[in-house]
Amino acid sequence: DLTFVDSDNTLVIYELTSEISNNDINVESGNTISLIDTLTLKSASAIHFNSGNDVNINNLIVVDGIFDGVDLRTVNTQLSWELGKLYGPGGIISKGNFDIYTSGAKSIENNTHIRNDGICNWEASCTELTLHDGSVFENYGSSAVLNIIGDSTLIDYYSGTSSTAALLTNKYNANINIVNDGVSSSTFTNKIKMENTGIILFNQTQNIVTLSGSFYSTSGSVTLASNQKITIDQSNNNFIVEGNTSTYIQNGCLVDIKTSGDVLSISGNEVHFDGAIISNAGTMNIGGYLNNSVLTANTSFTIQPYSSSRGLFNVKQFKSGSTPTFGVINVKDADLTFVDSDNTLVIYELT
């Protein structure tokens, strides 16, 4: 056990490594550590930054253990995370490369805020990451990219109605790419909330992305790539795109809305369909004061039941005075309603 206590000095540490299991390192109130060049946590050790001062670390390697503290901790160059827990109300900012890998247990603990300002690669070898009550993983700013690669499950360890659900957020032109490794799928479980004002690409086209929490986008863009299959699965789950968001649902995209309580609602700035198939047991809405009528003659989509359950498909209001133009709408044993429209619709083919 190593404790930095009651210091009137500013420390610079070139390398700090916990080599043996169960080390406990404490940085107590009154200390100022201006820089740690390299910090390595190994074998279930813990470090607690409770000095009351911000901490800068060039390279953080969490092989295992607990990275904790009330201090704001900024990692400038490289954050590597194999096992263990990121913890503490002070928050963690990653400004460089952030690699999440290996299949062992990893969690962001209660009310911990992680902000990625750089390039974060959630590798295919990391099959599971848990966000606890009130925790936030924030992808922040135009230089931020979060690549979720392969067989990835994001779990919200949500303990009940008095708790706050975990949040994955994409802000200020940041990018999230959910992409292939060739064999796998991605799942966002339980009460995970996804919020977007940046750019999100669902492009894991060889398998399924399952959303069992809520998705909410108010600006930026959302793309469901060609041949992507996305499943909205959990009663009362909402996938909502509105505000200044542009939506692109590309050729061959398959969207399953699995239960009667699930809702897929797309309004926002503009919508582009290109041959998507919607299997719907819940409710799908297009419109609701959609700003631009860019459903063009090339647009086509198919509405059909999910399994044997028929859902509702509502075409709602567009920008007042616009002329929304639909290409081909194929209705296969489903209910399609044009409702509350102040506009003149052009439909090239309705079958």
Side-chain angles (χ1 to χ4, degrees):
D1 296 326
L2 170 63
T3 301
F4 298 93
V5 58
D6 296 332
S7 176
D8 296 323
N9 302 298
T10 298
L11 304 178
V12 175
I13 301 172
Y14 280 87
E15 185 170 343
L16 177 59
T17 305
S18 66
E19 292 283 1
I20 303 172
S21 64
N22 300 316
N23 285 304
D24 205 15
I25 301 171
N26 295 283
V27 182
E28 296 188 350
S29 177
N31 286 275
T32 302
I33 298 181
S34 66
L35 176 67
I36 299 176
D37 187 65
T38 300
L39 170 61
T40 304
L41 284 176
K42 294 184 177 180
S43 301
S45 294
I47 188 165
H48 311 275
F49 287 98
N50 298 318
S51 70
N53 298 299
D54 295 350
V55 179
N56 279 282
I57 303 168
N58 282 341
N59 301 289
L60 173 64
I61 303 165
V62 183
V63 179
D64 195 0
I66 297 172
F67 183 62
D68 177 36
V70 300
D71 300 339
L72 174 62
R73 291 146 285 158
T74 299
V75 182
N76 297 309
T77 304
Q78 177 70 52
L79 198 167
S80 299
W81 188 16
E82 294 185 32
L83 300 171
K85 300 176 180 181
L86 303 185
Y87 217 135
I92 300 165
I93 299 174
S94 174
K95 289 184 172 294
N97 294 320
F98 184 0
D99 296 322
I100 306 172
Y101 56 101
T102 77
S103 60
K106 282 174 283 294
S107 61
I108 299 173
E109 294 295 305
N110 289 11
N111 302 309
T112 301
H113 191 132
I114 310 295
R115 195 178 94 189
N116 174 54
D117 292 1
I119 307 296
C120 180
N121 291 311
W122 177 350
E123 301 288 353
S125 61
C126 173
T127 55
E128 187 174 293
L129 174 61
T130 301
L131 272 63
H132 285 255
D133 290 349
S135 62
V136 177
F137 190 110
E138 180 180 19
N139 205 40
Y140 183 90
S142 58
S143 297
V145 179
L146 170 59
N147 296 311
I148 300 175
I149 304 165
D151 188 8
S152 307
T153 301
L154 188 63
I155 298 173
D156 179 13
Y157 192 80
Y158 182 73
S159 60
T161 56
S162 62
S163 302
T164 302
L167 178 63
L168 172 63
T169 181
N170 194 47
K171 288 185 175 180
Y172 304 115
N173 295 314
N175 287 261
I176 293 179
N177 301 309
I178 301 170
V179 297
N180 288 325
D181 71 343
V183 296
S184 302
S185 57
S186 292
T187 304
F188 300 84
T189 71
N190 199 10
K191 297 292 183 179
I192 287 285
K193 295 167 62 179
M194 296 179 67
E195 294 182 358
N196 177 56
T197 60
I199 300 164
I200 291 186
L201 171 63
F202 292 91
N203 193 30
Q204 196 173 90
T205 54
Q206 290 176 285
N207 280 282
I208 301 170
V209 174
T210 301
L211 299 175
S212 296
S214 63
F215 179 93
Y216 187 56
S217 179
T218 57
S219 65
S221 68
V222 176
T223 299
L224 307 181
S226 179
N227 299 316
Q228 173 69 74
K229 184 171 184 180
I230 185 164
T231 299
I232 301 168
D233 178 20
Q234 185 166 315
S235 185
N236 301 315
N237 180 24
N238 294 324
F239 187 107
I240 297 174
V241 180
E242 62 181 23
N244 290 315
T245 308
S246 299
T247 307
Y248 303 87
I249 302 180
Q250 297 179 346
N251 183 44
C253 177
L254 306 174
V255 180
D256 289 343
I257 307 170
K258 290 186 69 173
T259 76
S260 60
D262 294 331
V263 177
L264 171 62
S265 183
I266 299 175
S267 58
N269 186 48
E270 52 184 299
V271 180
H272 301 265
F273 278 88
D274 182 17
I277 298 174
I278 315 297
S279 299
N280 179 21
T283 300
M284 181 172 179
N285 301 315
I286 295 179
Y289 301 103
L290 187 69
N291 293 335
N292 293 325
S293 54
V294 293
L295 294 157
T296 68
N298 295 322
T299 294
S300 64
F301 53 88
T302 297
I303 311 300
Q304 61 188 25
Y306 177 80
S307 186
S308 59
S309 298
R310 296 174 60 174
L312 303 175
F313 188 98
N314 301 316
V315 178
K316 304 177 80 173
Q317 286 144 312
F318 285 67
K319 186 177 181 181
S320 181
S322 66
T323 305
T325 303
F326 293 81
V328 179
I329 304 175
N330 295 307
V331 182
K332 296 183 176 180
D333 190 22
D335 297 324
L336 172 63
T337 302
F338 296 92
V339 58
D340 296 333
S341 179
D342 297 322
N343 305 293
T344 299
L345 305 179
V346 175
I347 303 172
Y348 278 81
E349 186 174 342
L350 177 60
T351 305

